[in-house]
Amino acid sequence: MITAAAIVLAALAEPTTIALLGDQDLGSDARAVLALILDEGADAIVHLGDFDYHDDPSAWVNQIHDVLGQGFPYIAVVGNHEDCCWQSYFDAIEGLLVAAGVSWQGDVGWRYFVDFQGLRIVLTAPGEYGSSHAAYIAARFAETD
């Protein structure tokens, strides 16, 4: 899996806690990690691909909703294990963002950014889609202080 996320900290009015995930899977261990993230008071999750290893976007989203509830900020980019059905995962990621009221710019799931509580989070999937991801990241950060 080759994915990238870059986070720039601005002057934050309140402390913000972001959990970073990758290679999650489905089942009791994955649910325990999500519960721990919730228990630790994270404000959002940034997931860097390889969601469930079962080619099941619905099960992945249902697991998130079951543990975190609907509307928990979940920002994600695809990895190589989503290649079975990228469009379904893109739709799932978009649904998670919409449910949480998180807006984005770019192509959700593979090259986009969000501004979340004073953080600019830029996500790309360079191993999965196209080229010029470094230029995209640099351009997004050039737009902000």
Side-chain angles (χ1 to χ4, degrees):
M1 171 183 72
I2 299 174
T3 58
I7 301 173
V8 169
L9 300 175
L12 300 177
E14 299 290 326
T16 300
T17 302
I18 305 292
L20 301 174
L21 286 181
D23 301 282
Q24 182 180 31
D25 209 359
L26 299 173
S28 61
D29 289 343
R31 288 174 175 273
V33 170
L34 293 174
L36 177 63
I37 289 168
L38 195 61
D39 290 346
E40 290 293 324
D43 298 298
I45 292 174
V46 173
H47 194 149
L48 303 176
D50 296 351
F51 302 143
D52 65 64
Y53 299 106
H54 298 278
D55 300 339
D56 195 341
S58 295
W60 175 66
V61 169
N62 289 338
Q63 175 175 264
I64 292 165
H65 288 162
D66 288 349
V67 178
L68 302 175
Q70 292 195 11
F72 188 89
Y74 205 104
I75 304 158
V77 62
V78 297
N80 64 309
H81 288 279
E82 285 75 58
D83 61 358
C84 70
C85 33
W86 277 326
Q87 188 60 54
S88 294
Y89 284 107
F90 293 153
D91 294 344
I93 295 166
E94 185 173 312
L96 290 167
L97 293 169
V98 168
V102 175
S103 60
W104 68 91
Q105 291 183 7
D107 298 310
V108 72
W110 78 276
R111 190 162 75 175
Y112 70 112
F113 71 96
V114 302
D115 289 315
F116 180 80
Q117 295 185 4
L119 301 174
R120 172 151 291 190
I121 304 169
V122 180
L123 300 105
T124 70
E128 305 310 315
Y129 277 97
S131 61
S132 61
H133 293 276
Y136 177 81
I137 292 168
R140 298 301 69 82
F141 287 132
E143 298 167 350
T144 183
D145 292 335

